[in-house]
Amino acid sequence: MLKLDRTALLIQGMAGFETLLLGFFKAFQENNIMFKAISTEGASIKAAMIYSANYPIEKALKEIKNANLFATPPEAVFTNSYFNSTFHSTSYFSYYNDILTNNYSTPFSYHYKITEETILIQKNMKIPVYTSIVNLLTGEHKTINLQEFDLEKKHLWLGTRIPYFKPVKIDGEIFIEDHFNNPPVNILLDKYNEIEKFIIVRSYPKMSKPPSSLLELNDRANDIAMNSYLDQQLYFIEKVNKWVKEGLLPKEKYRNIQIFSLNIDPEPLEYLDYRPSQLQKKFDIGYKKGTELLRELNK
């Protein structure tokens, strides 16, 4: 398998786009391409782990479709005419099973349930997948490698849209996803001196229209947090590149990091639509974008 030893992949803000990412990764998998490391967050964690383990992409897509056979259109969530258990919808039956087994977080949550399959995927991961979490009580920021995270004893947490998403307990401490340090950048620069290029997939569009509802206001807060952090990190890297080029910093101590960015602007509510037909649509879009990205990189 070809491994891009000097390239890292950064994925930002892919909530609800697991299947789009699977399509994206399928294009890379077909060409036997792997990165040095992946830095990501939230809903993209599982897709990144699947890719790292070289797990069959079509099998993962089928599993997600089967889990959402009874999904409703996302508009139903806002009209009180739905019966799904989670924000992006699973099924009525899953909802009551979660209640009876006391195995759920909130009606508006998408925490992953760890399965034997997830454990197997983790054991077969070939490249590190990094993400950051923050201690809700102490404010401590922590970046972890999913290859080393103890999935058998801990939850694989996801979103932080408070009050919709419940924080997760890890070793008795309470953590949420760290929007102010995701996807983590510094750890890639610190741990891997050989990295010379970042490929970045972003899906938090910058908007000029003011939010018109509490939900949109909450979304905008997340957008600002995610964009401001990543933009600051990329701006600093570009500054260092410029100073190295101008001779202000020694080349033997500072690297020139190439940055290649792919922006994905989701349609309103599209990321909430988990009906099987829409999951396939996202997968197809991801595969097309992954193929186009490969074509650009080969120029």
Side-chain angles (χ1 to χ4, degrees):
M1 177 175 289
L2 176 64
K3 193 170 183 179
L4 300 183
D5 288 329
R6 299 185 180 276
T7 303
L9 177 66
L10 276 66
I11 307 171
Q12 179 220 33
M14 298 303 294
F17 276 85
E18 294 97 324
T19 57
L20 185 143
L21 278 175
L22 288 178
F24 182 84
F25 285 139
K26 174 64 177 175
F28 282 89
Q29 196 179 72
E30 284 182 345
N31 289 273
N32 295 322
I33 291 176
M34 293 290 271
F35 299 93
K36 181 66 179 180
I38 297 176
S39 181
T40 187
E41 51 85 25
S44 63
I45 290 174
K46 186 69 174 290
M49 291 174 65
I50 287 169
Y51 174 63
S52 173
N54 200 29
Y55 187 82
I57 297 293
E58 290 85 354
K59 183 178 179 182
L61 175 63
K62 183 179 180 180
E63 289 167 354
I64 294 177
K65 284 183 178 180
N66 288 341
N68 292 278
L69 284 175
F70 301 100
T72 56
E75 293 85 350
V77 174
F78 305 102
T79 61
N80 291 323
S81 60
Y82 67 100
F83 50 62
N84 357 15
S85 63
T86 60
F87 195 80
H88 58 55
S89 80
T90 51
S91 74
Y92 174 82
F93 308 103
S94 173
Y95 175 49
Y96 278 99
N97 180 65
D98 288 346
I99 291 177
L100 291 172
T101 58
N102 196 30
N103 187 27
Y104 69 104
S105 48
T106 73
F108 290 92
S109 170
Y110 50 73
H111 292 278
Y112 283 124
K113 295 182 180 69
I114 302 303
T115 64
E116 291 183 6
E117 192 80 358
T118 310
I119 303 296
L120 183 62
I121 288 171
Q122 183 192 44
K123 289 179 179 177
N124 288 319
M125 288 173 66
K126 297 172 178 61
I127 59 174
V129 174
Y130 293 98
T131 194
S132 292
I133 52 179
V134 61
N135 189 311
L136 200 57
L137 298 180
T138 67
E140 175 193 7
H141 299 265
K142 183 178 182 181
T143 299
I144 64 170
N145 176 2
L146 269 298
Q147 286 177 306
E148 302 165 353
F149 190 68
D150 191 351
L151 292 178
E152 297 191 52
K153 295 182 179 178
K154 303 167 185 175
H155 289 285
L156 179 57
W157 67 96
L158 283 178
T160 56
R161 187 204 297 268
I162 298 172
Y164 301 125
F165 300 131
K166 182 180 179 181
V168 171
K169 276 194 174 183
I170 302 174
D171 295 333
E173 299 292 319
I174 301 175
F175 287 89
I176 59 173
E177 182 186 344
D178 188 354
H179 277 181
F180 295 97
N181 283 282
N182 271 335
V185 177
N186 288 340
I187 194 168
L188 299 179
L189 296 174
D190 293 340
K191 289 181 72 71
Y192 304 100
N193 292 328
E194 62 271 41
I195 287 179
E196 295 180 347
K197 177 183 283 189
F198 284 156
I199 295 177
I200 306 165
V201 180
R202 306 185 67 168
S203 70
Y204 269 121
K206 297 180 180 180
M207 306 175 188
S208 57
K209 179 184 174 183
S212 59
S213 67
L214 183 60
L215 186 65
E216 286 187 11
L217 183 62
N218 207 326
D219 276 339
R220 187 63 53 85
N222 289 346
D223 295 347
I224 291 172
M226 296 294 288
N227 280 326
S228 61
Y229 161 72
L230 189 54
D231 284 338
Q232 182 186 42
Q233 300 299 306
L234 298 181
Y235 175 75
F236 181 74
I237 291 172
E238 289 168 349
K239 271 288 188 183
V240 171
N241 288 346
K242 182 174 181 291
W243 291 335
V244 170
K245 184 177 180 180
E246 293 175 351
L248 300 175
L249 291 174
K251 292 182 179 179
E252 58 272 15
K253 288 187 177 182
Y254 295 90
R255 285 168 285 165
N256 186 297
I257 303 290
Q258 301 176 50
I259 296 175
F260 188 96
S261 189
L262 172 66
N263 295 313
I264 299 173
D265 295 336
E267 294 295 321
L269 295 182
E270 188 181 54
Y271 70 101
L272 295 173
D273 200 332
Y274 265 60
R275 289 173 293 174
S277 61
Q278 296 304 307
L279 292 173
Q280 181 66 50
K281 179 181 176 182
K282 292 175 194 176
F283 179 86
D284 294 340
I285 292 172
Y287 181 77
K288 179 181 178 183
K289 288 185 178 293
T291 303
E292 291 171 353
L293 178 59
L294 276 175
R295 196 177 300 124
E296 283 293 318
L297 294 174
N298 286 326
K299 284 183 178 179

